[in-house]
Amino acid sequence: MKFLIEDVTVYFPYDNIYPEQYAYMVELKRALDAKGHCLLEMPTGTGKTIALLSLITSYVLSKPQSPLKLLYCTRTVHEMEKTLAELRLLHDYQVQCLGPAANILALGLSSRKNLCVNPRVLAAENRDSVDAGCRKLTASWVRALAAENPNVPTCEFFEQYERAGSGAVLPPGVYTLQDLRAFGKEKGWCPYFLARHMVQFANVVVYSYQYLLDPKVAGIISKEMQKESVVVFDEAHNIDNVCIEALSVSVRRQTIEGARRNLNRMRQEIDKFKATDAGRLRAEYNRLVEGLALRGDLPAADAWLANPALPDDILKEAVPGNIRRAEHFIHVLRRLVQYLEGRLETENVEKEGPVGFVSSILNHAGIDQKTLKFCYDRLHSLMMTLEITDTDEFLHIQTICDFATLVGTYARGFSIIIEPFDERMPHIPDPVLQLCCHDASLAIKPVFDRFQSVVITSGTLSPIDLYPRLLNFNPVVSRSFTMSLTRDCICPMVLTRGSDQLPVSTKFDMRSDLGVVRNYGRLLLEMASVVPDGIVCFFVSYSYMDGIVNSWNENGILKEIMQHKLVFIETQDVVETTLALDNYRKACDCGRGAIFFSVARGKVAEGIDFDRHYGRLVIMFGVPFQYTLSKILLARLEYLRDTFQIKEGDFLTFDALRQAAQCVGRVIRSKADYGMMIFADKRYSRHDKRSKLPGWILSHLHDAHLNLSTDMALHIAREFLRKMAQPYDKTGNSGRKTLLSQEDLEKMVEGSMNDMLY
């Protein structure tokens, strides 16, 4: 269907549109017109992706004089593929309406592991090994050798891509990762480097958060992006954590030992070069004297990771004299590694700020702040000069230089925390030195400053006013949408006590109470006997899940549950979990019914949908707070309190409830779907906790469902399932329309929009 929003003709590839999709597009257009940033919370299962894509691409089509580029960031490769599939559908519709004028180039960009087509390189098991395998075949010095000696292996795909030169282009269209690989195989070109090259010319690029937020990757991939771009962060409820991880580094004993091995090998390489090709080291020295940390524009195949500090904080001056010569630099790194090793030999937890740490390095190791800042670029330059291709072997020294550069660059927003052992396993010595970033706004600031509009959107952004404070920006539009439904197909309940009226909670002093464990078990057993097909249970942590499942097993509750449904459990092993999920789906499909035990903040809670009969009920056992004794968390809370005036309790509750909302939101994935949500913990009945849930869940949480015992919840579940089994009208003709056709939309725009929606 086609319709107008003010002066923009929107091309929407379906015959009907939800009212909230229309409202979402109106708000999004306001943000684009104002050239500002926006925060939009849209319920899950209401077609957020297609609303975003169709509005932004139509907006670009209506203003051909100012071409906007869309950078769409997703969290996982699976989400990337889903987005590109939606975009292809939309693109086909636009071409059908407008002809060739609507042609665009859209592509997904991922790591070599997902795009490489060379079977020899793909044989490696992890991402770093694939990257190194690629460098061994494509680095400029390897290819120069191969030109003289035909026995040196190179990558035929890369060679053909290079030979094609400027002829190596992608014709317009929408390319998923699969399509890129197929296109590369057909033409004999390397899909990874082709995609990297074409990103500059594409109208839409879909890639992962790291490509914009992690300075090491963004410095290579996103450096060329134009200012006139719209950046969308989809499923962005955890965006503050992604920003923090991008600027945090951990150093362990293994890192120190690995760094020593790396330094010894580099020393041997330097001696070898001194004997055979001293001119190269001298040339590098001269280049550094002139202040060129890197040698001009490197060929794409040689470009390694960029500097870990943010672009504005990188020093634009000559490398200090004491690390210009290769062997001097190796000495400095040796002293740094020795100093860090000494700091790991502690028996108490230590915490200090970057300023104190840097002055301590100066006193004990004689390395000043400026030298630390240049460690990363200097290491990069040396690896180039020494022609090192197996970069996966050098990850340890890279981590040390990462750490040095960040600690030398930033004076606030960071802490150094040294822990001699993991508090949960105090008898196992495992010292770790962590540089923790506390300020999420640091990593995302360059994105806000550089691009015209940044859209942060997700199904759970409540309370929405906390995000601008955490990320330190001013949105021009900030809005939370509710879900328009023809029937109440979501049934949230707060369960505070068992059938024996004992309160249930996962509070630390109550969680091992046998009464609580028994009541949780009875709740699941009673529900398993009533609810058809699939039930998903979320626990607050792996250790708690292990403990409670063991108790249920001992007192026979698990055996009773298994008579109703099969039980599958998420583990920390990805392969095992994938297998468990597959079998869970099979059990739901064949009618045997199944229960899936999972953990909040785990892989399943973040990325797997339990739509239709795969999730008719989700039970959240407890409130998923972070481990509150963690030293890193305490340091971050202190920073948030001092800098942004966010109280510790507010942040912890906000963080726990966005995770809980993320877990329960997994069951509803479209408006035809239905599901129940049980929040099983007495703390959810408190207003300050409950009010932080997203509006679209709260609007269905009736007062009568706030303080339930197991038998009351069971009665409500029976009623709800009986009601959902009745036939119903999908478009909602009884006054409240939930599916609008083109005519409805035109009427709605003419009349007042509010009569229709409310």
Side-chain angles (χ1 to χ4, degrees):
M1 62 195 281
K2 287 185 340 195
F3 54 89
L4 275 171
I5 293 185
E6 291 163 17
D7 55 341
V8 173
T9 308
V10 179
Y11 296 90
F12 191 74
Y14 300 104
D15 295 335
N16 298 80
I17 183 169
Y18 295 144
E20 54 268 45
Q21 280 177 313
Y22 181 77
Y24 185 82
M25 288 184 190
V26 172
E27 296 292 339
L28 188 55
K29 181 179 179 300
R30 275 179 51 204
L32 293 183
D33 285 342
K35 300 191 173 170
H37 311 312
C38 66
L39 268 172
L40 298 170
E41 179 183 59
M42 172 97 149
T44 49
T46 47
K48 181 170 66 236
T49 309
I50 192 66
L52 268 167
L53 292 172
S54 56
L55 181 91
I56 295 173
T57 50
S58 304
Y59 190 87
V60 175
L61 286 172
S62 72
K63 300 192 175 10
Q65 66 284 2
S66 57
L68 273 175
K69 187 182 193 119
L70 170 59
L71 304 178
Y72 195 102
C73 302
T74 63
R75 275 182 327 196
T76 58
V77 174
H78 174 64
E79 280 172 15
M80 185 191 301
E81 295 281 10
K82 269 201 320 204
T83 306
L84 285 160
E86 290 264 28
L87 184 59
R88 172 173 295 148
L89 188 76
L90 171 67
H91 181 238
D92 291 347
Y93 178 69
Q94 287 175 342
V95 170
Q96 178 192 324
C97 292
L98 288 172
N103 269 334
I104 59 167
L105 173 59
L107 57 103
L109 180 62
S110 185
S111 61
R112 287 176 174 84
K113 190 172 185 326
N114 296 324
L115 279 174
C116 178
V117 286
N118 186 328
R120 271 185 315 189
V121 176
L122 276 175
E125 61 270 16
N126 62 14
R127 199 178 69 203
D128 295 316
S129 313
V130 172
D131 289 355
C134 177
R135 277 177 83 84
K136 283 174 191 158
L137 301 178
T138 60
S140 52
W141 53 87
V142 175
R143 295 175 59 224
L145 269 179
E148 297 160 17
N149 175 4
N151 296 333
V152 174
T154 55
C155 171
E156 62 275 17
F157 292 101
F158 184 73
E159 293 303 322
Q160 282 188 347
Y161 162 72
E162 284 287 299
R163 254 180 252 129
S166 57
V169 287
L170 277 171
V174 179
Y175 295 88
T176 60
L177 302 182
Q178 181 83 36
D179 300 333
L180 283 169
R181 286 197 298 267
F183 183 81
K185 276 183 184 158
E186 178 196 326
K187 292 279 194 183
W189 298 338
C190 167
Y192 173 75
F193 284 105
L194 178 64
R196 280 260 305 260
H197 172 61
M198 292 310 292
V199 160
Q200 301 164 39
F201 312 108
N203 308 78
V204 183
V205 181
V206 184
Y207 54 20
S208 126
Y209 280 25
Q210 271 67 25
Y211 286 31
L212 270 182
L213 294 178
D214 186 339
K216 297 195 285 297
V217 190
I220 303 173
I221 308 275
S222 304
K223 184 168 76 205
E224 306 295 325
M225 300 298 184
Q226 65 214 44
K227 181 184 180 347
E228 292 76 28
S229 297
V230 182
V231 177
V232 175
F233 290 109
D234 194 11
E235 297 294 332
H237 46 274
N238 281 342
I239 192 162
D240 52 319
N241 296 340
V242 179
C243 294
I244 278 172
E245 281 159 24
L247 291 175
S248 300
V249 187
S250 297
V251 175
R252 296 174 179 274
R253 284 221 177 108
Q254 300 89 299
T255 323
I256 300 283
E257 287 157 14
R260 286 243 160 86
R261 286 197 302 275
N262 296 160
L263 288 171
N264 291 338
R265 183 160 148 213
M266 284 160 96
R267 182 74 234 195
Q268 289 162 5
E269 296 281 332
I270 291 171
D271 293 343
K272 196 166 79 187
F273 270 107
K274 269 189 177 161
T276 57
D277 189 358
R280 295 204 45 162
L281 292 168
R282 203 168 308 113
E284 184 195 34
Y285 178 82
N286 295 335
R287 200 173 68 246
L288 295 173
V289 171
E290 288 159 19
L292 306 170
L294 302 174
R295 51 166 104 143
D297 286 331
L298 295 166
D302 292 359
W304 201 35
L305 291 175
N307 194 307
L310 299 166
D312 300 346
D313 304 321
I314 297 169
L315 286 184
K316 310 279 192 291
E317 52 186 280
V319 173
N322 58 344
I323 55 171
R324 277 182 204 153
R325 293 191 58 159
E327 54 272 39
H328 292 173
F329 178 55
I330 297 288
H331 278 305
V332 166
L333 286 183
R334 283 234 154 103
R335 292 207 303 276
L336 178 63
V337 168
Q338 192 170 350
Y339 172 78
L340 292 177
E341 185 178 42
R343 290 301 299 260
L344 278 176
E345 297 292 316
T346 175
E347 289 182 3
N348 306 317
V349 175
E350 295 176 20
K351 174 187 168 219
E352 74 184 288
V355 180
F357 195 80
V358 168
S359 67
S360 158
I361 292 181
L362 184 60
N363 296 337
H364 293 88
I367 306 171
D368 66 343
Q369 184 181 5
K370 195 168 169 192
T371 310
L372 287 173
K373 270 191 191 186
F374 276 102
C375 275
Y376 199 87
D377 285 340
R378 181 68 189 90
L379 176 75
H380 185 176
S381 170
L382 184 61
M383 305 263 293
M384 290 293 165
T385 307
L386 298 179
E387 299 186 342
I388 286 170
T389 49
D390 47 353
T391 43
D392 55 334
E393 299 292 326
F394 283 82
L395 292 172
H396 298 294
I397 192 68
Q398 205 184 316
T399 306
I400 299 280
C401 289
D402 235 6
F403 176 84
T405 300
L406 287 170
V407 105
T409 307
Y410 296 106
R412 49 189 305 276
F414 285 80
S415 315
I416 288 96
I417 295 177
I418 307 169
E419 296 185 87
F421 47 75
D422 185 338
E423 288 197 348
R424 286 168 265 195
M425 293 180 283
H427 48 284
I428 303 172
D430 175 26
V432 57
L433 182 147
Q434 302 172 73
L435 172 71
C436 318
C437 170
H438 305 314
D439 191 346
S441 64
L442 284 174
I444 203 168
K445 184 178 184 299
V447 180
F448 283 138
D449 291 350
R450 211 174 111 199
F451 297 112
Q452 187 171 306
S453 290
V454 177
V455 180
I456 292 177
T457 183
S458 172
T460 42
L461 286 178
S462 293
I464 206 161
D465 55 339
L466 202 54
Y467 282 89
R469 287 159 72 191
L470 280 176
L471 302 176
N472 199 12
F473 76 110
N474 291 319
V476 290
V477 175
S478 166
R479 175 91 196 267
S480 180
F481 299 92
T482 53
M483 209 170 186
S484 57
L485 296 168
T486 45
R487 53 176 189 165
D488 292 330
C489 62
I490 316 173
C491 178
M493 305 181 243
V494 173
L495 181 124
T496 54
R497 52 196 198 279
S499 302
D500 53 6
Q501 305 304 320
L502 280 179
V504 292
S505 176
T506 55
K507 276 172 77 168
F508 203 72
D509 48 357
M510 283 177 68
R511 62 170 55 175
S512 46
D513 185 308
L514 288 175
V516 173
V517 172
R518 187 184 64 243
N519 272 327
Y520 275 155
R522 304 290 327 163
L523 165 69
L524 183 57
L525 174 60
E526 301 278 346
M527 286 297 167
S529 63
V530 176
V531 178
D533 302 320
I535 298 181
V536 190
C537 303
F538 287 100
F539 296 88
V540 288
S541 66
Y542 281 109
S543 53
Y544 181 63
M545 178 167 78
D546 291 348
I548 201 164
V549 172
N550 272 335
S551 308
W552 288 347
N553 191 26
E554 282 161 15
N555 46 21
I557 294 182
L558 202 59
K559 201 170 179 185
E560 289 182 58
I561 292 173
M562 298 273 273
Q563 286 170 0
H564 295 291
K565 294 183 190 302
L566 301 178
V567 174
F568 298 94
I569 299 185
E570 173 188 11
T571 61
Q572 295 183 7
D573 182 294
V574 180
V575 182
E576 275 185 6
T577 303
T578 313
L579 198 64
L581 270 169
D582 277 354
N583 287 326
Y584 168 80
R585 291 216 155 98
K586 276 184 197 153
C588 291
D589 287 338
C590 72
R592 173 71 171 88
I595 300 177
F596 195 80
F597 287 169
S598 177
V599 171
R601 299 174 199 281
K603 283 273 181 289
V604 172
E606 281 299 332
I608 307 293
D609 297 342
F610 294 99
D611 51 339
R612 308 190 319 280
H613 60 291
Y614 299 129
R616 285 297 180 218
L617 163 69
V618 61
I619 306 179
M620 179 76 237
F621 290 111
V623 185
F625 283 107
Q626 284 189 52
Y627 178 58
T628 41
L629 297 178
S630 144
K631 298 288 179 289
I632 299 172
L633 179 62
L634 291 172
R636 183 178 176 198
L637 290 173
E638 190 182 320
Y639 180 81
L640 288 175
R641 190 185 61 221
D642 298 346
T643 315
F644 299 122
Q645 288 74 53
I646 296 173
K647 294 194 196 108
E648 287 108 323
D650 283 355
F651 179 76
L652 285 171
T653 306
F654 149 75
D655 184 61
L657 285 172
R658 68 174 162 182
Q659 300 301 338
Q662 195 50 28
C663 294
V664 298
R666 299 278 121 214
V667 291
I668 207 101
R669 276 290 171 248
S670 80
K671 291 195 177 181
D673 204 353
Y674 62 89
M676 294 179 290
M677 309 166 175
I678 296 182
F679 296 96
D681 193 308
K682 64 175 188 176
R683 288 172 291 182
Y684 285 112
S685 62
R686 286 174 42 185
H687 183 262
D688 63 322
K689 298 272 189 290
R690 196 177 67 241
S691 61
K692 292 190 169 60
L693 285 169
W696 58 275
I697 294 180
L698 283 179
S699 61
H700 292 276
L701 184 56
H702 310 300
D703 290 349
H705 295 177
L706 281 184
N707 188 1
L708 302 177
S709 60
T710 307
D711 43 346
M712 290 153 75
L714 197 65
H715 175 70
I716 292 169
R718 282 203 179 101
E719 287 293 309
F720 174 75
L721 290 165
R722 191 174 303 133
K723 201 163 72 188
M724 285 301 111
Q726 309 308 317
Y728 77 108
D729 176 11
K730 285 192 175 57
T731 56
N733 287 331
S734 55
R736 253 192 340 178
K737 280 241 165 173
T738 59
L739 269 181
L740 306 175
S741 64
Q742 196 151 345
E743 295 153 25
D744 294 331
L745 256 187
E746 283 157 11
K747 274 186 210 154
M748 184 166 107
V749 176
E750 282 164 23
S752 75
M753 185 172 160
N754 295 349
D755 297 347
M756 214 54 193
L757 273 174
Y758 305 109

